[in-house]
């Protein structure tokens, strides 16, 4: 299985801050990487696919980058509704493994 | 837009079989997309269980493969999950989801609301 490692596991930030979350794969996955946002009690929501493509309807303050083994999710200006848990997931090979998650908390 | 709704017992006894169904609306299960199950134990992260195509082709997580069966019912536009020999470790919120094949990487774009299944006697 491909292991996905996210960092940090949690962070505290203020509204308006620029936030960066990283995800590292245990082997090259090309750009077959998605990012999800999950709020308490809700299903995950697709933000980014193909490492850098913004899902329809997702605000442009979210962006993704990377290829191979190292990926980044950036929120350019954190908004109150962005406080949530973020997960990366690889779709290069089955099983489609997720990262352990990054909790973004209010500072 | 596609909507998914999980259904099934919320309580399963240890050593029993967990059975869930995901009803698809707003789209056809016979489309070119794949359909998957993901679970999340309380307070923990996401685990991919497996995926199924309308032809019946499946891919399962090796960690669960010996206990998992997925199936499709085209007449009802739904797909199902069976997990046998369950233990308390299988207690989780179970999500069904669509894997969108029209873009690179087939990301999971639509998700059900999730259903909590508790394994307990």
């Amino acid at each position: 299985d491909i292991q996905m490692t996210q960092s940090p596991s949690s962070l505290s930030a203020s509204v308006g801050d620029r936030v960066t979350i990283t995800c590292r794969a245990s082997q090259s996955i090309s750009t077959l990487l998605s990012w999800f946002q999950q709020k308490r009690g809700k299903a995950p929501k697709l933000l980014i696919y193909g490492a850098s493509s913004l899902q329809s309807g997702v605000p442009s303050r979210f962006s993704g980058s990377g290829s191979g083994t190292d990926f980044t999710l950036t929120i350019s200006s954190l908004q109150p509704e962005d406080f949530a848990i973020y997960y990366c997931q690889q779709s290069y090979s089955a099983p489609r493994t997720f990262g352990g998650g990054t909790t973004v908390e209010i500072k | 837009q596609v909507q998914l709704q999980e259904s099934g017992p919320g309580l399963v006894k240890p050593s029993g079989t967990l059975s869930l169904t995901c009803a698809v609306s707003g789209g056809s299960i016979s489309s070119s997309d794949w359909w998957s199950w993901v679970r999340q134990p309380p307070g923990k992260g996401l685990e991919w269980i497996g995926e199924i195509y309308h032809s019946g082709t499946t891919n399962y997580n090796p960690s669960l493969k010996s206990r998992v069966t997925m199936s499709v019912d085209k007449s009802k536009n739904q797909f199902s999950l069976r997990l046998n020999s369950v233990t308390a470790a299988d207690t989780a919120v179970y999500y069904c989801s669509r894997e969108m094949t029209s873009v690179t990487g087939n990301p999971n774009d639509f998700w059900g609301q999730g259903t909590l299944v508790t394994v307990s006697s």
Side-chain angles (χ1 to χ4, degrees):
Chain A
D1 298 4
I2 297 175
Q3 305 304 312
M4 306 301 293
T5 304
Q6 282 183 240
S7 61
S9 57
S10 66
L11 64 91
S12 295
S14 300
V15 173
D17 283 354
R18 181 181 182 89
V19 169
T20 299
I21 299 168
T22 63
C23 180
R24 174 165 289 176
S26 59
Q27 66 181 73
S28 178
I29 58 170
S30 184
T31 58
L32 300 182
L33 189 284
S34 298
W35 288 99
F36 296 90
Q37 176 194 67
Q38 188 179 35
K39 296 183 178 179
R40 184 181 298 273
K42 299 294 187 181
K45 174 186 175 182
L46 177 66
L47 300 175
I48 301 285
Y49 62 89
S52 61
S53 296
L54 192 67
Q55 171 68 349
S56 176
V58 174
S60 59
R61 63 180 179 272
F62 291 93
S63 64
S65 64
S67 66
T69 61
D70 294 314
F71 302 87
T72 299
L73 173 70
T74 299
I75 309 173
S76 60
S77 177
L78 198 66
Q79 297 302 300
E81 60 267 31
D82 301 336
F83 292 95
I85 303 175
Y86 293 84
Y87 293 95
C88 60
Q89 184 200 28
Q90 63 84 16
S91 56
Y92 182 83
S93 66
R96 293 182 164 215
T97 41
F98 290 89
T102 296
T103 301
V104 177
E105 299 172 320
I106 301 173
K107 192 171 188 179
Chain B
Q1 96 173 7
V2 174
Q3 292 185 308
L4 301 99
Q5 179 67 58
E6 305 91 349
S7 61
L11 181 63
V12 180
K13 294 187 186 308
S15 78
T17 297
L18 179 159
S19 296
L20 296 174
T21 296
C22 182
V24 179
S25 59
S28 173
I29 203 162
S30 297
S31 69
S32 59
D33 300 312
W34 285 69
W35 307 90
S36 59
W37 291 95
V38 173
R39 71 179 183 178
Q40 185 170 38
K44 297 188 177 181
L46 300 163
E47 180 181 31
W48 184 81
I49 300 171
E51 61 188 0
I52 187 165
Y53 195 61
H54 62 76
S55 63
T57 301
T58 55
N59 291 301
Y60 298 144
N61 191 322
S63 68
L64 299 168
K65 188 173 184 177
S66 63
R67 300 193 290 129
V68 169
T69 304
M70 294 182 185
S71 59
V72 165
D73 186 335
K74 297 179 190 178
S75 66
K76 294 182 178 179
N77 214 40
Q78 64 186 31
F79 61 106
S80 299
L81 168 71
R82 286 174 59 88
L83 181 67
N84 58 35
S85 304
V86 298
T87 70
D90 295 309
T91 293
V93 174
Y94 286 76
Y95 295 100
C96 59
S97 179
R98 183 183 83 162
E99 295 175 7
M100 174 174 57
T101 57
S102 60
V103 299
T104 184
N106 300 3
N108 293 77
D109 61 344
F110 289 107
W111 295 68
Q113 64 185 23
T115 187
L116 174 63
V117 179
T118 301
V119 179
S120 175
S121 56

